[in-house]
Amino acid sequence: MRLRLVPQDTNWDFFKYRTATFGVSLVMMVASLALWLTMGLNFGIDFRGGTTIRTQSEQAVDVGVYRDAIAPLELGDVSISEVFDPSFAADQHVAMIRIQAQDAQESVSGDTIDSVEQALQGVDDTIRFTQVESVGPKVSGELIQTAVLAVAAALAAILFYIWLRFEWQFSVGAVAALFHDVLITIGVFSLLQIRFDLATIAALLTIIGYSINDTVVIFDRLRENLRKYKTKPLQDVMNLSVNETLSRTLMTSGTTLIALIALLVLGGDVIRGFVFAITWGVIIGTYSSVYVAKNIVLWLGVKRDWSKPSDTTGNQFANIDA
């Protein structure tokens, strides 16, 4: 007897309240846009500019001790990470310290760098600064433009792919769902003022990939069922398709969330923003695959005169016991 998270043959009406769920999505998108425009984002060093310091010491790097030593200086956003390299000697321990620009200055002043060095030498007298580099606002602005272009290019590529594989209605629904996921995630970051840096952009691209994967699985089953049930109403075929892939959806999302929640709790401050973005993205992406992408396809309608019968009875990954 196998354990199931959902019954084997479900018949839940996911589109019974489609107007309400679609309305909620629109409200969340408008609210996210308003938060973004009014509160802004808490940009990290990557987008705000600042100074990167490379340190070297004979003692092992302790990121927590370094951070506690620098904290009294109140320098704002400070990122500390240890650098590993097989070519390093046994007593060569290297760390990278990134400090945000202070008071709209292009870089951290020399006095501030001296204060940081003295604070770190208080916990490790062998530490020394081997390299100091500054990232100005011009470079940071270019990074923001590049990040926006990366997300836009991902959405455009997915739009083209879905258009070729399915119908244009499917591609519009899929990209609308992805845009919904990205915008609401940005709104949450703006509301909570979580640090927004290049790692967050990587998380947004990961969300896009995860969400479109779930959407395509349901689209695949929907296309097969449309060929199988040529006279059945579109809404009923959609409900059938979502129910048939429900086990797969819950299994994939559930196991992913278990790993992400563990990282969110135990991963530390350095990766917390990145992990939070992906965790939220898995939840909102699973929701949008049904209540945004499928709602738009249902509203636009699809062609029903399929010329060829389906070669398969279903996607091999759609009926996983969960």
Side-chain angles (χ1 to χ4, degrees):
M1 184 174 182
R2 292 176 293 181
L3 176 66
R4 296 180 183 274
L5 297 179
V6 295
Q8 184 173 4
D9 297 314
T10 59
N11 189 27
W12 296 336
D13 190 354
F14 289 93
F15 298 96
K16 183 177 181 180
Y17 304 105
R18 64 180 184 277
T19 302
T21 55
F22 198 69
V24 169
S25 294
L26 287 177
V27 169
M28 289 193 297
M29 291 176 67
V30 172
S32 297
L33 183 60
L35 288 169
W36 186 7
L37 295 177
T38 56
M39 297 181 62
L41 293 169
N42 180 21
F43 287 118
I45 299 170
D46 299 321
F47 298 135
R48 189 181 297 173
T51 297
T52 300
I53 303 172
R54 185 183 178 95
T55 71
Q56 183 173 316
S57 67
E58 297 178 4
Q59 299 181 22
V61 174
D62 190 322
V63 174
V65 172
Y66 282 20
R67 182 174 285 108
D68 291 341
I70 297 175
L73 300 179
E74 297 181 351
L75 299 177
D77 185 14
V78 177
S79 174
I80 306 174
S81 59
E82 187 174 0
V83 178
F84 298 95
D85 193 310
S87 63
F88 288 166
D91 61 347
Q92 185 179 4
H93 303 279
V94 179
M96 296 293 289
I97 302 174
R98 307 173 73 187
I99 305 172
Q100 73 175 49
Q102 307 292 307
D103 300 326
Q105 297 179 4
E106 182 168 335
S107 61
V108 177
S109 65
D111 292 339
T112 301
I113 294 175
D114 291 339
S115 299
V116 173
E117 187 171 14
Q118 292 175 9
L120 291 176
Q121 286 180 344
V123 297
D124 183 357
D125 56 5
T126 66
I127 198 169
R128 59 189 179 89
F129 291 178
T130 59
Q131 187 178 17
V132 178
E133 295 180 343
S134 296
V135 177
K138 181 178 179 180
V139 175
S140 299
E142 292 175 353
L143 286 175
I144 294 177
Q145 295 177 7
T146 303
V148 172
L149 288 176
V151 175
L155 293 176
I158 289 171
L159 173 66
F160 182 69
Y161 165 74
I162 300 296
W163 198 324
L164 290 179
R165 181 169 178 179
F166 298 97
E167 300 287 331
W168 68 269
Q169 297 94 331
F170 290 84
S171 63
V172 172
V175 172
L178 296 180
F179 183 77
H180 164 276
D181 299 342
V182 171
L183 182 57
I184 292 180
T185 301
I186 292 175
V188 170
F189 267 72
S190 179
L191 176 64
L192 302 179
Q193 287 296 291
I194 302 173
R195 186 171 64 242
F196 193 93
D197 50 22
L198 286 178
T200 310
I201 297 298
L204 290 178
L205 294 174
T206 304
I207 291 170
I208 290 174
Y210 183 93
S211 181
I212 195 61
N213 175 69
D214 193 37
T215 302
V216 166
V217 167
I218 303 177
F219 275 172
D220 250 346
R221 179 52 63 91
L222 173 60
R223 181 173 58 178
E224 293 165 1
N225 284 335
L226 284 172
R227 289 170 175 165
K228 185 177 180 180
Y229 305 101
K230 292 182 172 62
T231 59
K232 199 170 188 176
L234 179 58
Q235 181 174 327
D236 293 343
V237 179
M238 282 189 168
N239 259 321
L240 176 64
S241 302
V242 176
N243 276 282
E244 287 180 346
T245 57
L246 186 60
S247 290
R248 179 263 173 202
T249 299
L250 290 180
M251 179 66 76
T252 305
S253 299
T255 52
T256 303
L257 284 174
I258 290 174
L260 289 172
I261 291 173
L263 285 174
L264 193 62
V265 175
L266 305 174
D269 182 67
V270 176
I271 64 171
R272 184 160 289 133
F274 173 80
V275 177
F276 174 81
I278 299 182
T279 303
W280 170 256
V282 169
I283 297 171
I284 198 69
T286 303
Y287 166 86
S288 69
S289 294
V290 176
Y291 292 108
V292 177
K294 307 306 178 295
N295 265 331
I296 291 178
V297 174
L298 182 60
W299 174 60
L300 293 174
V302 293
K303 180 180 66 175
R304 301 300 298 270
D305 56 337
W306 302 95
S307 58
K308 296 180 180 180
S310 177
D311 294 331
T312 62
T313 57
N315 190 290
Q316 61 176 322
F317 301 109
N319 291 323
I320 297 176
D321 292 332

